[in-house]
Amino acid sequence: MKIRRRRRRSVPGLNMASMPDLIFTVLFFFMIVTHMRTETVRMELEVPDGRELTKAKNRRAIVNLYIGRDSHGMTRIQVGEHTVPLEKVGAAVMDARDRMGGDDAASCVVNIRADRHTPMGVVTDVKQELRKVGALNIRYSATEMDRK
């Protein structure tokens, strides 16, 4: 009687030749789809909920204006990267609009992102300052409300 010996089978080694291609493909994918934040918000914002929201078409023609509380609980106004007093909001928006290009400056939109606990009087005062400098195209930011 013959006894058969089992051959030891080995698992073939993993081919690592395509690994750099895979890594660079994933890297390029994330570089393309990632939105880099250009402004640092220096205040606490709890944005209100909204029902009928639309996305902005031309993001380059937007001047972001944040209204919220700082770490001491004081209401602050931030235009782009700079915190400004209420009296200087119009000048700061005009400076940001002047730094844009020709077509973008003509279709400039001021995006107000206000904390939900900000008094409406502060938002009204900011709108009055914007009206003085002719920045009449205003949008309000909100988060989409859950539909149940």
Side-chain angles (χ1 to χ4, degrees):
M1 204 193 257
K2 280 189 175 181
I3 299 175
R4 290 187 177 181
R5 290 190 180 172
R6 292 188 180 176
R7 292 185 204 164
R8 294 227 169 219
R9 296 184 184 179
S10 64
V11 177
L14 186 59
N15 184 2
M16 299 297 283
S18 64
M19 186 63 76
D21 294 336
L22 179 66
I23 289 172
F24 283 115
T25 303
V26 172
L27 177 69
F28 286 134
F29 171 76
F30 284 115
M31 285 173 56
I32 291 171
V33 299
T34 302
H35 173 70
M36 301 301 287
R37 182 174 289 191
T38 57
E39 298 171 351
T40 304
V41 182
R42 296 183 179 103
M43 58 190 70
E44 299 173 19
L45 286 176
E46 186 180 335
V47 182
D49 297 330
R51 292 194 176 129
E52 297 181 25
L53 303 178
T54 58
K55 289 207 178 231
K57 294 178 181 151
N58 186 3
R59 288 189 169 211
R60 292 182 303 168
I62 293 178
V63 176
N64 288 311
L65 192 143
Y66 306 97
I67 305 172
R69 297 172 303 222
D70 63 3
S71 59
H72 303 293
M74 299 293 296
T75 300
R76 299 283 182 218
I77 302 167
Q78 179 180 336
V79 178
E81 283 288 322
H82 307 288
T83 303
V84 296
L86 178 63
E87 302 80 31
K88 306 258 182 182
V89 168
V93 169
M94 294 307 291
D95 288 342
R97 184 165 74 176
D98 292 341
R99 277 184 263 127
M100 292 179 184
D103 292 337
D104 291 339
S107 62
C108 178
V109 176
V110 178
N111 184 37
I112 296 178
R113 189 172 179 96
D115 184 66
R116 73 172 58 224
H117 303 292
T118 300
M120 195 59 197
V122 174
V123 176
T124 304
D125 292 342
V126 168
K127 286 173 49 180
Q128 292 296 330
E129 290 296 320
L130 293 174
R131 186 177 293 165
K132 289 177 186 176
V133 296
L136 303 176
N137 198 354
I138 299 173
R139 294 178 59 107
Y140 296 97
S141 290
T143 55
E144 190 164 3
M145 183 180 287
D146 293 333
R147 295 182 185 188
K148 294 181 181 180

